[in-house]
Coordinates of all heavy atoms in Angstrom, one line a residue:
M15 N 0.8 -1.2 0.0 CA 0.0 0.0 0.0 C 0.9 1.2 0.0 O 1.9 1.3 0.7 CB -0.9 0.0 1.2 CG -1.8 1.2 1.3 SD -2.8 1.4 2.8 CE -3.7 -0.1 2.8
N16 N 0.6 2.2 -0.9 CA 1.3 3.4 -0.9 C 0.4 4.5 -0.4 O -0.8 4.6 -0.7 CB 1.7 3.8 -2.4 CG 2.6 2.7 -3.0 OD1 3.4 2.2 -2.3 ND2 2.4 2.5 -4.2
V17 N 1.0 5.4 0.4 CA 0.3 6.6 0.9 C 1.1 7.8 0.6 O 2.3 7.9 0.9 CB 0.1 6.5 2.4 CG1 -0.6 7.7 3.0 CG2 -0.7 5.2 2.8
D18 N 0.5 8.8 -0.1 CA 1.1 10.1 -0.4 C 0.4 11.2 0.3 O -0.9 11.1 0.4 CB 0.9 10.4 -1.9 CG 1.8 9.5 -2.8 OD1 2.8 8.9 -2.3 OD2 1.4 9.3 -4.0
R19 N 1.1 12.1 0.9 CA 0.5 13.3 1.5 C 1.1 14.5 0.9 O 2.3 14.7 1.0 CB 0.8 13.3 3.0 CG 0.1 14.4 3.7 CD 0.2 14.1 5.3 NE -0.7 15.0 5.9 CZ -0.4 16.2 6.5 NH1 0.9 16.6 6.4 NH2 -1.3 16.9 7.1
I20 N 0.3 15.3 0.2 CA 0.8 16.4 -0.5 C 0.2 17.7 0.2 O -1.0 17.8 0.4 CB 0.2 16.4 -2.0 CG1 0.6 15.1 -2.7 CG2 0.7 17.6 -2.7 CD1 2.1 14.9 -2.8
L21 N 1.1 18.6 0.5 CA 0.7 19.9 1.1 C 0.4 20.8 0.0 O 1.2 21.0 -1.0 CB 1.8 20.4 2.0 CG 2.1 19.5 3.2 CD1 3.3 20.1 4.0 CD2 0.9 19.3 4.1
T22 N -0.7 21.6 0.1 CA -1.0 22.5 -0.9 C -0.8 23.9 -0.3 O -0.9 24.2 0.9 CB -2.5 22.4 -1.4 OG1 -3.3 22.5 -0.3 CG2 -2.7 21.0 -2.0
S23 N -0.6 24.9 -1.2 CA -0.5 26.3 -0.8 C -1.8 27.0 -1.1 O -2.6 26.5 -1.8 CB 0.7 26.9 -1.5 OG 0.5 26.9 -2.8
D24 N -1.9 28.2 -0.5 CA -3.1 29.0 -0.8 C -3.0 29.4 -2.2 O -2.0 29.7 -2.8 CB -3.1 30.3 0.1 CG -3.3 29.9 1.6 OD1 -4.0 28.9 1.8 OD2 -2.9 30.7 2.4
C25 N -4.2 29.5 -2.8 CA -4.4 29.8 -4.2 C -4.5 31.4 -4.3 O -5.2 32.0 -3.5 CB -5.6 29.2 -4.8 SG -5.5 27.4 -4.8
A26 N -4.0 31.9 -5.4 CA -4.1 33.3 -5.7 C -5.3 33.6 -6.5 O -5.9 32.6 -7.1 CB -2.9 33.8 -6.4
E27 N -5.7 34.8 -6.7 CA -6.9 35.1 -7.5 C -6.7 34.6 -8.9 O -5.6 34.6 -9.4 CB -7.1 36.7 -7.5 CG -7.6 37.2 -6.3 CD -9.0 36.8 -5.9 OE1 -9.8 36.6 -6.8 OE2 -9.3 36.6 -4.7
P28 N -7.6 34.1 -9.5 CA -9.1 34.1 -9.3 C -9.6 32.8 -8.5 O -10.8 32.5 -8.6 CB -9.7 34.1 -10.7 CG -8.7 33.2 -11.5 CD -7.3 33.5 -10.9
F29 N -8.7 32.2 -7.8 CA -9.1 30.9 -7.1 C -9.3 31.3 -5.6 O -8.8 32.2 -5.1 CB -8.0 29.9 -7.2 CG -7.7 29.5 -8.7 CD1 -6.5 29.9 -9.3 CD2 -8.7 28.9 -9.4 CE1 -6.3 29.6 -10.6 CE2 -8.4 28.5 -10.7 CZ -7.2 28.9 -11.3
P30 N -10.1 30.5 -4.9 CA -10.9 29.3 -5.4 C -12.0 29.7 -6.2 O -12.6 30.8 -6.1 CB -11.3 28.7 -4.1 CG -11.4 29.8 -3.1 CD -10.4 30.8 -3.5
V31 N -12.4 28.8 -7.1 CA -13.6 29.0 -8.0 C -14.8 29.1 -7.2 O -15.7 30.0 -7.4 CB -13.7 27.8 -9.0 CG1 -14.9 28.0 -9.9 CG2 -12.4 27.7 -9.8
Y32 N -15.0 28.3 -6.2 CA -16.2 28.3 -5.3 C -15.7 28.6 -3.8 O -15.2 27.6 -3.2 CB -17.0 27.0 -5.4 CG -17.4 26.7 -6.8 CD1 -16.8 25.6 -7.5 CD2 -18.4 27.4 -7.4 CE1 -17.2 25.3 -8.8 CE2 -18.8 27.1 -8.7 CZ -18.2 26.0 -9.4 OH -18.6 25.7 -10.6
A33 N -15.9 29.8 -3.4 CA -15.4 30.1 -2.0 C -16.2 29.4 -0.9 O -15.6 29.1 0.2 CB -15.5 31.6 -1.8
D34 N -17.4 29.0 -1.2 CA -18.3 28.4 -0.1 C -18.5 26.9 -0.4 O -19.5 26.3 0.0 CB -19.6 29.1 -0.1 CG -20.4 29.0 -1.4 OD1 -19.8 28.7 -2.4 OD2 -21.6 29.2 -1.3
L35 N -17.6 26.3 -1.1 CA -17.8 24.9 -1.6 C -18.0 23.9 -0.4 O -18.8 23.1 -0.5 CB -16.6 24.5 -2.5 CG -16.8 23.1 -3.1 CD1 -18.0 23.0 -3.9 CD2 -15.6 22.8 -3.9
V36 N -17.1 24.0 0.6 CA -17.2 23.1 1.7 C -18.6 23.2 2.4 O -19.3 22.1 2.6 CB -16.1 23.3 2.7 CG1 -16.3 22.4 4.0 CG2 -14.8 23.0 2.1
E37 N -19.1 24.4 2.6 CA -20.4 24.6 3.3 C -21.5 24.0 2.3 O -22.5 23.4 2.8 CB -20.6 26.0 3.6 CG -19.7 26.6 4.7 CD -18.4 27.0 4.2 OE1 -18.1 27.1 2.9 OE2 -17.5 27.1 5.0
R38 N -21.3 24.3 1.1 CA -22.3 23.8 0.1 C -22.4 22.3 0.0 O -23.5 21.7 -0.1 CB -21.9 24.3 -1.3 CG -23.0 24.3 -2.3 CD -22.6 25.1 -3.5 NE -23.8 25.6 -4.2 CZ -23.7 26.5 -5.1 NH1 -22.6 27.1 -5.4 NH2 -24.9 26.9 -5.6
L39 N -21.2 21.6 0.1 CA -21.2 20.1 0.1 C -21.8 19.6 1.4 O -22.4 18.5 1.4 CB -19.8 19.6 0.0 CG -19.1 19.8 -1.4 CD1 -17.7 19.5 -1.3 CD2 -19.8 19.0 -2.4
L40 N -21.7 20.3 2.5 CA -22.2 19.8 3.8 C -23.7 20.1 4.0 O -24.3 19.5 4.9 CB -21.4 20.4 4.9 CG -19.9 19.9 5.0 CD1 -19.2 20.6 6.1 CD2 -19.9 18.4 5.2
A41 N -24.2 21.1 3.3 CA -25.6 21.5 3.4 C -26.5 20.4 2.9 O -26.2 19.7 1.9 CB -25.9 22.8 2.7
P42 N -27.7 20.3 3.5 CA -28.7 19.3 3.0 C -29.2 19.8 1.6 O -29.2 20.9 1.3 CB -29.8 19.3 4.0 CG -29.5 20.4 5.0 CD -28.1 20.9 4.7
A43 N -29.6 18.8 0.8 CA -30.1 19.1 -0.5 C -31.3 20.0 -0.5 O -32.2 19.7 0.3 CB -30.4 17.8 -1.3
Q44 N -31.4 21.0 -1.3 CA -32.5 21.9 -1.3 C -33.6 21.4 -2.3 O -34.7 21.8 -2.1 CB -32.0 23.3 -1.7 CG -31.0 23.9 -0.8 CD -31.5 24.1 0.6 OE1 -32.7 24.5 0.8 NE2 -30.7 23.8 1.6
S45 N -33.2 20.6 -3.2 CA -34.2 20.1 -4.2 C -33.7 18.7 -4.7 O -32.6 18.4 -4.5 CB -34.4 21.1 -5.3 OG -33.3 21.0 -6.2
S46 N -34.6 18.0 -5.3 CA -34.3 16.7 -5.9 C -33.6 16.9 -7.2 O -33.1 15.9 -7.8 CB -35.5 15.9 -6.0 OG -36.4 16.5 -6.9
D47 N -33.5 18.1 -7.8 CA -32.8 18.3 -9.1 C -31.3 18.2 -9.0 O -30.7 18.2 -10.0 CB -33.3 19.7 -9.6 CG -34.7 19.7 -10.0 OD1 -35.3 18.6 -10.2 OD2 -35.3 20.8 -10.0
G48 N -30.8 18.3 -7.8 CA -29.3 18.3 -7.7 C -28.7 19.8 -7.8 O -29.5 20.7 -8.1
D49 N -27.5 19.9 -7.5 CA -26.8 21.2 -7.5 C -25.8 21.2 -8.6 O -24.9 20.4 -8.6 CB -26.1 21.4 -6.1 CG -25.5 22.7 -6.0 OD1 -25.3 23.4 -7.0 OD2 -25.2 23.1 -4.8
P50 N -25.9 22.0 -9.6 CA -25.0 22.0 -10.7 C -23.5 22.3 -10.3 O -22.6 21.9 -10.9 CB -25.5 23.1 -11.7 CG -26.5 23.8 -10.9 CD -27.0 23.0 -9.8
T51 N -23.3 23.1 -9.2 CA -22.0 23.4 -8.7 C -21.3 22.1 -8.2 O -20.2 21.8 -8.5 CB -22.0 24.4 -7.6 OG1 -22.6 25.6 -8.2 CG2 -20.7 24.7 -7.1
I52 N -22.1 21.3 -7.4 CA -21.5 20.1 -6.9 C -21.3 19.1 -8.1 O -20.2 18.4 -8.1 CB -22.5 19.5 -5.9 CG1 -22.5 20.4 -4.6 CG2 -22.0 18.1 -5.5 CD1 -23.5 20.0 -3.6
A53 N -22.1 19.1 -9.0 CA -21.9 18.2 -10.2 C -20.6 18.6 -10.9 O -19.8 17.7 -11.3 CB -23.1 18.3 -11.1
H54 N -20.4 19.9 -11.1 CA -19.2 20.4 -11.8 C -17.9 20.0 -11.0 O -17.0 19.5 -11.6 CB -19.3 21.9 -12.0 CG -18.0 22.5 -12.5 ND1 -17.2 23.3 -11.7 CD2 -17.4 22.3 -13.7 CE1 -16.2 23.6 -12.4 NE2 -16.2 23.1 -13.6
V55 N -18.0 20.2 -9.7 CA -16.8 19.9 -8.9 C -16.5 18.4 -8.9 O -15.3 18.0 -9.1 CB -17.0 20.4 -7.4 CG1 -15.9 19.8 -6.5 CG2 -17.0 21.9 -7.4
L56 N -17.5 17.5 -8.7 CA -17.3 16.1 -8.7 C -16.8 15.6 -10.1 O -15.9 14.8 -10.2 CB -18.6 15.4 -8.4 CG -19.0 15.6 -6.9 CD1 -20.3 14.9 -6.6 CD2 -18.0 15.1 -5.9
A57 N -17.3 16.2 -11.2 CA -16.9 15.8 -12.5 C -15.4 16.2 -12.8 O -14.6 15.5 -13.4 CB -17.8 16.4 -13.6
T58 N -15.1 17.4 -12.3 CA -13.7 17.9 -12.5 C -12.7 17.0 -11.7 O -11.7 16.6 -12.2 CB -13.6 19.3 -12.0 OG1 -14.5 20.1 -12.8 CG2 -12.2 19.9 -12.2
I59 N -13.0 16.7 -10.4 CA -12.2 15.9 -9.6 C -12.1 14.5 -10.2 O -11.0 13.9 -10.2 CB -12.7 15.8 -8.2 CG1 -12.6 17.2 -7.5 CG2 -11.9 14.8 -7.3 CD1 -11.1 17.7 -7.4
A60 N -13.2 13.9 -10.7 CA -13.1 12.6 -11.3 C -12.2 12.6 -12.6 O -11.5 11.6 -12.8 CB -14.5 12.2 -11.7
G61 N -12.2 13.7 -13.3 CA -11.4 13.8 -14.5 C -9.9 13.8 -14.2 O -9.1 13.3 -14.9
Y62 N -9.5 14.3 -13.0 CA -8.1 14.3 -12.6 C -7.8 13.2 -11.7 O -6.6 13.1 -11.2 CB -7.8 15.7 -11.9 CG -7.7 16.8 -12.9 CD1 -8.8 17.7 -13.1 CD2 -6.5 17.1 -13.5 CE1 -8.7 18.7 -14.0 CE2 -6.4 18.1 -14.4 CZ -7.5 19.0 -14.6 OH -7.4 20.0 -15.5
A63 N -8.7 12.3 -11.4 CA -8.5 11.2 -10.4 C -7.3 10.3 -10.7 O -6.7 9.8 -9.8 CB -9.7 10.4 -10.2
Y64 N -7.0 10.1 -12.0 CA -5.9 9.2 -12.3 C -4.6 9.9 -12.5 O -3.6 9.3 -13.0 CB -6.3 8.4 -13.5 CG -7.5 7.5 -13.2 CD1 -8.7 7.8 -13.6 CD2 -7.2 6.3 -12.5 CE1 -9.8 7.0 -13.3 CE2 -8.3 5.5 -12.2 CZ -9.6 5.8 -12.6 OH -10.6 5.0 -12.3
S65 N -4.5 11.2 -12.3 CA -3.2 11.9 -12.4 C -2.5 11.8 -11.1 O -2.9 11.1 -10.2 CB -3.5 13.4 -12.8 OG -4.2 14.0 -11.7
D66 N -1.3 12.4 -11.0 CA -0.5 12.3 -9.8 C -1.2 13.1 -8.6 O -2.0 14.0 -8.8 CB 0.9 12.8 -10.1 CG 0.9 14.3 -10.5 OD1 0.5 14.6 -11.6 OD2 1.3 15.1 -9.7
S67 N -0.7 12.8 -7.4 CA -1.3 13.4 -6.2 C -1.2 14.9 -6.2 O -2.1 15.6 -5.7 CB -0.6 12.8 -5.0 OG -0.8 11.5 -4.9
A68 N -0.1 15.5 -6.6 CA 0.1 16.9 -6.6 C -0.9 17.6 -7.5 O -1.4 18.7 -7.2 CB 1.5 17.3 -7.0
T69 N -1.2 17.1 -8.7 CA -2.2 17.6 -9.6 C -3.6 17.6 -9.0 O -4.3 18.6 -9.0 CB -2.2 16.9 -10.9 OG1 -0.9 17.0 -11.5 CG2 -3.2 17.5 -11.9
V70 N -4.0 16.5 -8.4 CA -5.3 16.4 -7.7 C -5.4 17.4 -6.6 O -6.4 18.1 -6.5 CB -5.5 14.9 -7.2 CG1 -6.8 14.9 -6.4 CG2 -5.6 14.0 -8.3
A71 N -4.4 17.5 -5.8 CA -4.4 18.5 -4.7 C -4.5 19.9 -5.2 O -5.3 20.7 -4.6 CB -3.1 18.3 -3.9
T72 N -3.8 20.2 -6.3 CA -3.9 21.6 -6.8 C -5.3 21.9 -7.4 O -5.8 23.0 -7.1 CB -2.8 21.7 -7.9 OG1 -1.5 21.5 -7.4 CG2 -2.9 23.1 -8.6
I73 N -5.8 21.0 -8.1 CA -7.1 21.2 -8.7 C -8.2 21.3 -7.6 O -9.1 22.2 -7.7 CB -7.5 20.1 -9.7 CG1 -6.5 20.1 -10.9 CG2 -8.9 20.2 -10.2 CD1 -6.5 21.4 -11.7
A74 N -8.1 20.4 -6.6 CA -9.1 20.5 -5.5 C -9.0 21.8 -4.8 O -10.0 22.4 -4.4 CB -8.9 19.3 -4.6
A75 N -7.8 22.3 -4.5 CA -7.6 23.6 -3.8 C -8.1 24.7 -4.7 O -8.8 25.6 -4.2 CB -6.2 23.8 -3.5
R76 N -7.9 24.7 -6.0 CA -8.4 25.7 -6.9 C -9.9 25.8 -6.9 O -10.5 26.8 -7.1 CB -7.8 25.6 -8.3 CG -6.3 25.9 -8.3 CD -5.8 25.7 -9.7 NE -4.4 26.1 -9.8 CZ -3.7 26.1 -10.9 NH1 -4.2 25.6 -12.0 NH2 -2.5 26.5 -10.9
L77 N -10.5 24.6 -6.8 CA -12.0 24.6 -6.8 C -12.6 25.1 -5.5 O -13.7 25.5 -5.5 CB -12.5 23.1 -7.1 CG -12.3 22.7 -8.5 CD1 -12.6 21.2 -8.6 CD2 -13.2 23.4 -9.5
G78 N -11.8 25.0 -4.4 CA -12.3 25.4 -3.1 C -12.6 24.2 -2.2 O -13.1 24.4 -1.1
L79 N -12.2 23.0 -2.6 CA -12.6 21.8 -1.9 C -11.7 21.7 -0.6 O -12.2 21.3 0.4 CB -12.4 20.6 -2.8 CG -12.9 19.3 -2.2 CD1 -14.4 19.4 -1.8 CD2 -12.7 18.2 -3.1
M80 N -10.5 22.1 -0.7 CA -9.6 21.9 0.5 C -8.4 22.8 0.4 O -8.0 23.3 -0.6 CB -9.1 20.5 0.6 CG -8.3 20.1 -0.6 SD -7.8 18.4 -0.4 CE -6.6 18.3 -1.7
R81 N -7.9 23.0 1.6 CA -6.6 23.7 1.7 C -5.8 23.0 2.7 O -6.4 22.6 3.7 CB -6.8 25.2 2.1 CG -7.5 26.0 1.0 CD -7.5 27.5 1.4 NE -8.2 28.2 0.4 CZ -9.5 28.4 0.4 NH1 -10.3 27.9 1.3 NH2 -10.1 29.1 -0.6
G82 N -4.6 22.8 2.5 CA -3.8 22.2 3.5 C -3.1 20.9 3.0 O -2.0 21.0 2.5
A83 N -3.8 19.8 3.0 CA -3.1 18.6 2.6 C -4.1 17.7 1.8 O -5.3 17.7 2.0 CB -2.6 17.8 3.8
C84 N -3.5 16.9 0.9 CA -4.3 15.9 0.1 C -3.6 14.6 0.4 O -2.4 14.4 0.4 CB -4.2 16.2 -1.4 SG -4.9 14.9 -2.4
V85 N -4.4 13.6 0.8 CA -3.8 12.3 1.1 C -4.4 11.3 0.0 O -5.6 11.2 -0.2 CB -4.2 11.8 2.5 CG1 -3.7 10.4 2.8 CG2 -3.7 12.8 3.5
R86 N -3.5 10.6 -0.6 CA -3.9 9.6 -1.6 C -3.4 8.2 -1.1 O -2.3 8.0 -0.8 CB -3.3 9.9 -2.9 CG -3.6 8.7 -3.9 CD -3.0 9.0 -5.3 NE -4.0 9.7 -6.1 CZ -3.8 9.9 -7.4 NH1 -2.7 9.7 -8.0 NH2 -4.8 10.5 -8.0
V87 N -4.4 7.3 -1.0 CA -4.0 5.9 -0.6 C -4.2 5.0 -1.8 O -5.3 5.1 -2.4 CB -5.0 5.4 0.6 CG1 -4.6 4.0 0.9 CG2 -4.8 6.3 1.8
E88 N -3.2 4.2 -2.1 CA -3.2 3.4 -3.3 C -2.9 2.0 -3.0 O -1.9 1.7 -2.2 CB -2.2 4.0 -4.3 CG -2.0 3.1 -5.5 CD -0.9 3.7 -6.4 OE1 0.3 3.6 -5.9 OE2 -1.2 4.2 -7.4
Q89 N -3.6 1.1 -3.5 CA -3.3 -0.3 -3.3 C -3.8 -1.1 -4.5 O -4.9 -0.8 -5.0 CB -4.0 -0.9 -2.0 CG -3.6 -2.3 -1.7 CD -4.2 -2.8 -0.4 OE1 -4.9 -2.1 0.3 NE2 -3.8 -4.0 0.0
F90 N -3.0 -2.0 -4.9 CA -3.4 -2.8 -6.1 C -2.9 -4.3 -5.9 O -2.0 -4.5 -5.1 CB -2.9 -2.3 -7.4 CG -1.4 -2.2 -7.5 CD1 -0.7 -3.2 -8.1 CD2 -0.7 -1.1 -7.1 CE1 0.7 -3.1 -8.2 CE2 0.6 -1.0 -7.2 CZ 1.3 -2.0 -7.7
V91 N -3.6 -5.2 -6.6 CA -3.2 -6.6 -6.5 C -2.4 -6.9 -7.8 O -2.8 -6.7 -8.9 CB -4.5 -7.5 -6.5 CG1 -4.1 -9.0 -6.5 CG2 -5.3 -7.1 -5.3
D92 N -1.2 -7.4 -7.6 CA -0.3 -7.7 -8.7 C -0.9 -8.6 -9.8 O -0.8 -8.4 -11.0 CB 1.0 -8.3 -8.3 CG 1.9 -7.3 -7.6 OD1 1.8 -6.1 -7.9 OD2 2.8 -7.7 -6.8
A93 N -1.7 -9.6 -9.3 CA -2.2 -10.6 -10.3 C -3.3 -9.9 -11.2 O -3.5 -10.4 -12.3 CB -2.9 -11.7 -9.5
M94 N -3.9 -8.9 -10.7 CA -4.9 -8.2 -11.5 C -4.4 -6.9 -12.2 O -5.1 -6.3 -12.9 CB -6.2 -7.9 -10.7 CG -6.8 -9.2 -10.2 SD -8.4 -9.0 -9.5 CE -9.3 -8.4 -10.9
Y95 N -3.2 -6.5 -11.9 CA -2.7 -5.3 -12.4 C -2.2 -5.5 -13.7 O -2.0 -5.3 -14.7 CB -1.6 -4.8 -11.5 CG -1.1 -3.4 -11.8 CD1 -1.9 -2.3 -11.8 CD2 0.2 -3.2 -12.2 CE1 -1.5 -1.1 -12.1 CE2 0.7 -2.0 -12.5 CZ -0.1 -0.9 -12.4 OH 0.3 0.4 -12.7

């Protein structure tokens, strides 16, 4: 098992894209239609999910998802790899 911990720095303007993203993710759903902001953030993070840890941390910080550290845990089975 590999564990990476990447420290991110504060983003300069025009980032973060969504200043209230953490609060928005923690808030209960307001409607059954979904939130287009949350959909955009999840799609963006999913798009970068297979890149290196530093890239994922940078993109997440720029979106407003986190500041501080990104932890990636990786494990694979050699027989299926």
Side-chain angles (χ1 to χ4, degrees):
M15 178 183 306
N16 298 325
V17 178
D18 292 334
R19 186 168 193 263
I20 305 298
L21 298 176
T22 59
S23 59
D24 290 335
C25 298
E27 288 294 326
F29 302 110
V31 176
Y32 304 109
D34 64 340
L35 183 58
V36 173
E37 293 80 15
R38 198 171 204 162
L39 289 170
L40 295 174
Q44 300 298 319
S45 71
S46 61
D47 295 335
D49 185 342
T51 299
I52 293 174
H54 173 248
V55 169
L56 293 177
T58 303
I59 295 296
Y62 285 94
Y64 295 100
S65 63
D66 60 286
S67 300
T69 302
V70 174
T72 300
I73 296 302
R76 287 180 178 179
L77 287 170
L79 187 59
M80 64 182 188
R81 290 185 184 92
C84 173
V85 177
R86 174 182 265 187
V87 179
E88 173 187 68
Q89 185 173 5
F90 61 90
V91 177
D92 286 335
M94 297 193 64
Y95 189 61

